[in-house]
């Protein structure tokens, strides 16, 4: 768990990050969003002390980060940036081994960890371990960047626009992959992004920043239904709101008793996906099945639309 | 001859036969034709300082020999114009050099009257033009072969071996250059050691001082501008003037500080030369260190900091390895520059190959000048090849795409 308390950064008279406080629970993903220059990167970099705060403090599992020597602190925190910053003169395996090597792991332990991570990220060790960064595609570099950050099993992972340089298809795959790995390892993630879809797709909670101030820190659905300020409403995109809301909910939540003709939807599909299918097939209702394929009821366009409506 | 001259029209294609004439090859062929048919191959002098008379290749060798060499060289010219494969062009250049170099030694023996120890034979314009043309052909072929760094080092070793073989075989012993050498073999090797000591020692000193200075200048912006400006000013002082400027303070030091005198520091001699070369070397080393370090991508240093590499670890494991090719490029400049500049040291009694050059100029003995100049040029050339190979090796696998 990480607690950010009254964190402030001033350059001269300008407060780039202005009295920001929030808390990220163990094993959850927090996204920091906001326009360019809002102070997102500065906030993130104060967590691992790449930037020294002017005021306020950061607690990791209750411990003040100022009490930990900065290099030791950074060994415990994974860090991924846009462009990944892979070492061009080191192989993929050597890049991933960076922090374990600094921590003095023995050679066999490091080799085993590198192999495990390459497997985890779907990169065949036999093919990729010996490659150099310039021999990788953008998507492969991104995966190596995240694998390197996770090498020493940090409980906390900081990511600054980690998917910014990827094309939409690869980006979506990388996001799903990150999410599944994060769920599996239980890593706490703080992620800075420009991309609202990404924030809604990945985050348990979203922090909206503007001009150094934290405007709202809330679950995605709450950001949509109860925006704290006009700026938040504008940022989440008023035209997109119902669709964003629907993609946060599962068919499970809108299923009704009864039967219908056609290929069944899964209870795990989002309402957004379900609506797309209904519109595309020109149907009012479709059957719903559970994970094992057993029918559990049906879903209708009107029930879905009711879920995408503003609440009082 | 006519057909060869035609080939000089740039990019001309013989449309009927579809033979593509090589442009550089055509230039080489013209050079070769001039060298063979319009320039003297060797110079004959009755003694070492009188004016010489040129001897065409046909006069410089027995008829059969002259015809043989001419035939070989013409074949090389034909290859230069027509052959496309770099390997063939390289082989042609090697064959040409393999004919011309021994031929020069042979001509010396042929032109020197038996028993005459005063007569001198030296290479003339024709020989130099042939060497130039063949070296161009070889260099072009080597470039087109895109040899890796190790292969280039091997090629250099082969060339050095061939030259050493030629010299040791005695084939050139009748040549004036080697007669000058034979007269002062001891001092030649002494000056060679001195030359290398001046050039390499000042380079090593410049690296020892310049590398840390460059690292500091990279880190502290204020220091950077000041250091680079001062070193740039030093660089603009002409070498003779810098030697001169150093004579006064070092002379004072020698006269007033017994330790300095005991260390052999004097106003003239090796000390001011060494210091001048050292000062000239600082700018390339410091400048390239700063440039190399500043070219490390910011994302890489940021990631390194973010992963908890200490300052020292970042410098040693990330920044210096990535800056190494640029730093080595600075060392290459220094080495080639110092090997050349060290000749000037002789002017203030610092020794080195310059000793022969200036003695030769004083005595109007051109072969003595060559005895100093040729090893200097050869050393600079070898240093450039070796450092280029090292730079490529330092770039290593992280750059193998380009
Ligand atoms: N070292 C510094 N000195 C002075 N100002 C700085 C410094 N670092 C950042 N800033 C300023 O702080 C502001 C916020 O920067 P920051 O990088 O945190 O923004 P951001 O939200 O990450 O923007 P982006 O989305 O474009 O990455 C910017 O206006 C920037 O110019
Ligand atoms: Mg940023």
């Amino acid at each position: 768990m990480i607690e950010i308390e009254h964190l402030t950064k001033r350059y001269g008279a300008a407060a780039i990050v202005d009295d920001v406080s929030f808390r990220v629970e163990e094993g959850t993903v927090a996204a920091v969003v906001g326009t360019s220059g809002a102070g997102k990167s500065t906030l993130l970099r104060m967590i691992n002390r790449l930037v020294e705060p002017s005021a306020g403090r950061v607690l990791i599992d209750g411990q003040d980060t100022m009490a930990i020597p900065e290099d030791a602190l950074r060994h415990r925190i994974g860090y991924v940036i846009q462009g990944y910053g892979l070492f061009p003169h080191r192989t993929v395996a050597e890049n991933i081994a960076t922090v374990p090597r600094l921590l003095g792991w023995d050679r066999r332990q490091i080799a085993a960890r590198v192999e495990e991570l390459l497997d985890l990220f779907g990169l065949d060790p036999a093919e990729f371990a010996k490659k150099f960064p310039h021999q990788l595609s953008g998507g492969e570099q991104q995966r190596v960047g995240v694998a390197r950050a996770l090498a020493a099993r940090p409980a906390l992972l900081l990511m600054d626009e980690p998917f910014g340089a990827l094309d939409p298809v690869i980006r979506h795959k990388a996001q799903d992959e990150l999410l599944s790995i994060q769920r599996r390892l239980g890593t706490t993630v703080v992620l800075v992004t420009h991309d609202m879809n990404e924030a809604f797709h990945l985050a348990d909670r979203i922090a909206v920043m503007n001009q150094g101030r934290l405007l709202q820190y809330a679950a995605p659905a709450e950001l949509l239904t109860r925006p704290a300020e006009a700026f938040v409403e504008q940022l989440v995109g008023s035209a997109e709101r119902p669709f964003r809301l629907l993609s946060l909910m599962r068919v499970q939540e809108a299923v009704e008793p009864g039967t219908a003709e056609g290929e069944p939807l899964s209870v795990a599909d989002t309402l957004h996906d379900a609506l797309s299918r209904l519109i595309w097939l020109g149907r009012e209702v479709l059957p719903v099945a559970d994970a094992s394929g057993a029918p559990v009821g049906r879903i209708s366009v009107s029930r879905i639309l009711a879920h995408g409506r503003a609440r009082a | 001859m006519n057909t060869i001259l035609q080939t000089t029209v740039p990019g001309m294609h013989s449309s009927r036969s579809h033979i593509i004439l090589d442009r550089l090859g055509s230039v080489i062929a013209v050079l070769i034709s001039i060298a063979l048919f319009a320039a003297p191959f060797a110079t004959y002098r009755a003694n070492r300082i009188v004016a010489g008379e040129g001897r065409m290749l046909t006069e410089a060798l027995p008829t059969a020999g002259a015809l043989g060499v001419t035939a070989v060289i013409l074949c090389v010219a034909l290859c230069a114009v027509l052959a496309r494969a770099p390997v063939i062009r390289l082989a042609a250049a090697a064959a040409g050099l393999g004919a011309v170099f021994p031929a020069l030694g042979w001509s010396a023996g042929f032109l020197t009257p038996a028993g005459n120890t005063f007569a001198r034979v030296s290479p003339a314009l024709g020989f130099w033009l042939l060497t130039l043309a063949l070296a161009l052909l070889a260099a072009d072929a080597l470039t087109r072969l895109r040899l890796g760094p190790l292969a280039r080092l091997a090629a250099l070793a082969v060339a050095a071996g061939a030259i050493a073989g030629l010299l040791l075989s005695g084939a050139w012993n009748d040549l004036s250059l080697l007669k000058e050498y034979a007269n002062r073999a001891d001092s030649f090797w002494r000056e060679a050691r001195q030359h290398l000591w001046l050039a390499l020692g000042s380079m090593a000193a410049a690296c020892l001082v310049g590398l840390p200075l460059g690292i500091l200048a990279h880190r502290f912006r204020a220091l950077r501008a000041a250091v680079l400006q001062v070193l740039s000013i030093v660089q603009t002082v002409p070498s003779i003037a810098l030697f001169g400027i150093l004579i006064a303070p070092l002379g004072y030091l020698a006269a007033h500080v017994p330790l300095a005198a005991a260390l052999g520091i004097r106003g003239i001699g090796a000390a001011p030369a060494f210091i001048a070369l050292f000062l000239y070397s600082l700018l390339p080393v410091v400048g390239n260190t700063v440039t190399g370090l500043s070219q490390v991508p910011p994302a890489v240093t940021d990631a390194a900091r973010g992963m908890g590499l200490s300052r020292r670890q970042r410098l040693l494991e990330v920044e210096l390895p990535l800056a190494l090719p640029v730093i080595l490029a600075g060392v290459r400049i220094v080495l080639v520059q110092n090997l050349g500049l060290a000749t000037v040291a002789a002017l203030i009694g610092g020794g080195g190959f310059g000793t022969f050059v200036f003695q030769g100029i004083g005595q109007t003995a051109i072969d003595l000048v060559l005895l100093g100049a040729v090893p200097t040029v050869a050393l600079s050339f070898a240093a450039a090849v070796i450092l280029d190979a090292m730079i490529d090796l330092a770039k290593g696998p992280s750059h193998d795409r380009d």
Side-chain angles (χ1 to χ4, degrees):
Chain A
M1 182 179 69
I2 98 167
E3 292 158 281
I4 291 167
E5 297 181 349
H6 306 290
L7 209 52
T8 300
K9 180 66 193 181
R10 288 187 210 92
Y11 288 114
I16 299 303
V17 173
D18 191 359
D19 194 20
V20 169
S21 302
F22 63 92
R23 157 203 293 233
V24 186
E25 297 296 338
E26 190 78 45
T28 65
V29 179
V32 181
V33 301
T35 47
S36 193
K40 307 180 294 292
S41 298
T42 308
L43 174 68
L44 193 77
R45 293 160 66 85
M46 280 193 282
I47 297 175
N48 63 2
R49 290 179 53 196
L50 284 174
V51 172
E52 292 291 325
S54 309
R57 58 179 194 164
V58 177
L59 305 180
I60 295 180
D61 296 331
Q63 192 181 17
D64 190 334
T65 52
M66 281 302 171
I68 310 169
E70 59 177 16
D71 290 338
L73 174 73
R74 291 178 196 147
H75 295 158
R76 285 173 41 186
I77 302 178
Y79 182 57
V80 183
I81 49 175
Q82 179 162 20
Y84 328 119
L86 298 180
F87 299 149
H89 59 306
R90 298 255 169 99
T91 63
V92 165
E94 288 164 346
N95 264 284
I96 294 176
T98 304
V99 181
R101 208 168 45 77
L102 293 177
L103 292 176
W105 292 18
D106 77 47
R107 192 132 29 100
R108 266 180 306 119
Q109 239 179 326
I110 293 178
R113 181 64 179 155
V114 167
E115 188 150 331
E116 180 187 348
L117 280 163
L118 285 172
D119 277 334
L120 187 63
F121 282 88
L123 299 167
D124 176 14
E127 186 188 346
F128 284 94
K130 292 266 177 296
K131 283 195 171 181
F132 284 87
H134 73 266
Q135 297 167 320
L136 305 179
S137 73
E140 288 158 357
Q141 288 182 26
Q142 197 271 343
R143 281 183 274 173
V144 173
V146 181
R148 182 174 71 171
L150 292 175
R153 303 193 178 87
L156 174 59
L157 180 62
L158 306 179
M159 310 181 93
D160 195 344
E161 300 185 38
F163 309 109
L166 301 181
D167 71 70
V169 176
I170 300 293
R171 184 185 311 166
H172 210 83
K173 266 186 63 181
Q175 289 165 352
D176 285 339
E177 182 180 69
L178 174 73
L179 209 51
S180 88
I181 289 171
Q182 183 268 337
R183 296 274 185 260
R184 180 142 29 129
L185 304 178
T187 315
T188 308
V189 177
V190 182
L191 170 116
V192 167
T193 178
H194 271 130
D195 177 351
M196 289 310 287
N197 288 328
E198 183 169 299
F200 277 91
H201 180 44
L202 298 178
D204 298 298
R205 303 197 122 223
I206 297 177
V208 182
M209 287 188 69
N210 189 30
Q211 298 182 345
R213 289 191 313 114
L214 178 65
L215 301 185
Q216 188 169 12
Y217 181 59
E222 191 181 340
L223 225 53
L224 293 166
T225 53
R226 283 197 294 277
E229 291 191 23
F231 179 83
V232 178
E233 196 172 330
Q234 188 193 331
L235 196 70
V236 299
S238 20
E240 298 290 326
R241 262 186 305 187
F243 305 106
R244 289 232 156 93
L245 206 49
L246 290 179
S247 41
L248 292 172
M249 287 179 279
R250 305 278 157 187
V251 166
Q252 182 90 63
E253 301 168 51
V255 70
E256 58 189 21
T259 55
E261 287 295 299
E263 179 98 2
L265 288 157
S266 157
V267 285
D269 288 340
T270 67
L271 289 184
H272 188 277
D273 293 341
L275 182 63
S276 305
R277 279 276 291 285
L278 287 161
I279 293 173
W280 191 248
L281 298 173
R283 305 286 299 269
E284 278 299 318
V285 290
L286 276 174
V288 175
D290 65 14
S292 63
V296 292
R298 59 181 210 158
I299 191 155
S300 67
V301 171
S302 57
R303 285 285 290 226
I304 294 176
L305 292 185
H307 280 80
R309 226 165 265 160
R311 275 147 242 196
Chain B
M1 181 87 185
N2 247 347
T3 52
I4 293 171
L5 280 177
Q6 269 180 11
T7 62
T8 60
V9 179
M12 196 189 92
H13 296 241
S14 170
S15 53
R16 230 175 287 161
S17 56
H18 295 285
I19 292 173
I20 298 167
L21 300 180
D22 187 86
R23 252 187 245 188
L24 179 72
S26 309
V27 174
I28 288 170
V30 172
L31 277 178
I32 286 178
S33 328
I34 295 174
L36 280 181
F37 303 112
F41 182 71
T43 305
Y44 176 81
R45 291 192 199 81
N47 64 52
R48 71 190 274 262
I49 52 176
V50 296
E53 310 146 25
R55 294 277 193 271
M56 301 297 289
L57 185 61
T58 42
E59 307 164 294
L61 290 178
T63 313
L67 284 179
V69 171
T70 306
V72 170
I73 302 297
L74 285 178
C75 284
V76 173
L78 210 60
C79 281
V81 175
L82 295 177
R84 318 265 327 264
V87 183
I88 296 180
R89 296 168 71 88
L90 184 60
L97 289 167
V100 169
F101 274 60
L104 182 67
W106 189 10
S107 77
F110 181 70
L111 288 174
T112 309
N116 183 339
T117 53
F118 297 109
R120 294 302 182 109
V121 176
S122 15
L125 181 65
F127 170 81
W128 294 119
L129 281 182
L130 283 175
T131 306
L132 172 69
L134 295 170
L136 267 178
L137 184 59
D140 176 58
L142 285 169
T143 312
R144 292 196 205 181
L145 274 175
R146 293 173 169 278
L147 291 182
L150 293 177
R152 294 205 303 272
L153 288 178
L156 179 68
V158 168
I163 291 173
L166 181 74
L167 293 176
L168 291 175
S169 72
W172 270 21
N173 280 358
D174 290 327
L175 217 54
S176 181
L177 182 66
L178 283 227
K179 286 184 175 168
E180 296 289 353
Y181 165 75
N183 286 340
R184 37 177 79 68
D186 287 346
S187 67
F188 179 85
W189 290 110
R190 190 176 65 239
E191 299 305 350
R193 272 196 303 278
Q194 177 74 357
H195 197 94
L196 285 177
W197 154 245
L198 280 174
L200 299 181
S202 60
M203 178 199 79
C207 290
L208 281 179
V209 174
L211 206 60
L213 195 58
I215 292 167
L216 286 177
H218 169 69
R219 207 160 268 173
F220 303 106
R221 189 175 293 268
L223 186 65
R224 187 182 323 170
V227 166
L228 291 180
Q229 246 155 40
V230 170
L231 292 181
S232 303
I233 292 171
V234 171
Q235 203 78 10
T236 59
V237 180
S239 50
I240 301 275
L242 187 56
F243 289 153
I245 291 169
L246 287 167
I247 288 175
L250 287 173
Y252 180 87
L253 208 63
H256 296 273
V257 181
L259 178 67
L263 285 174
I265 293 176
R266 283 176 299 136
I268 57 168
F274 188 95
I275 295 175
L277 292 178
F278 164 76
L279 290 176
Y280 281 132
S281 309
L282 277 179
L283 180 65
V285 173
V286 175
N288 280 46
T289 303
V290 170
T291 309
L293 289 174
S294 66
Q295 279 174 2
V296 176
V300 171
T301 39
D302 193 45
R305 274 186 76 205
M307 284 190 293
L309 276 77
S310 65
R311 244 172 199 244
R312 200 188 140 83
Q313 287 165 337
R314 289 204 303 273
L315 185 67
L316 294 180
E317 294 180 25
V318 179
E319 293 173 321
L320 283 179
L322 289 178
L324 190 61
V326 181
I327 296 175
L328 282 179
V331 174
R332 177 196 193 278
I333 295 171
V334 165
L335 192 54
V336 173
Q337 165 183 294
N338 281 8
L339 283 167
L341 269 182
T343 37
V344 185
L347 274 187
I348 53 167
F353 286 128
T355 312
F356 304 125
V357 174
F358 293 114
Q359 274 178 16
I361 291 173
Q363 303 172 2
T364 61
I366 188 72
D367 295 303
L368 191 50
V369 175
L370 287 181
L371 186 64
V374 170
T376 306
V377 172
L379 278 177
S380 301
F381 177 78
V385 172
I386 291 172
L387 261 297
D388 279 340
M390 281 173 65
I391 291 169
D392 277 7
L393 288 173
K395 280 181 185 168
S398 58
H399 287 69
D400 65 7
R401 217 174 235 186
D402 45 42

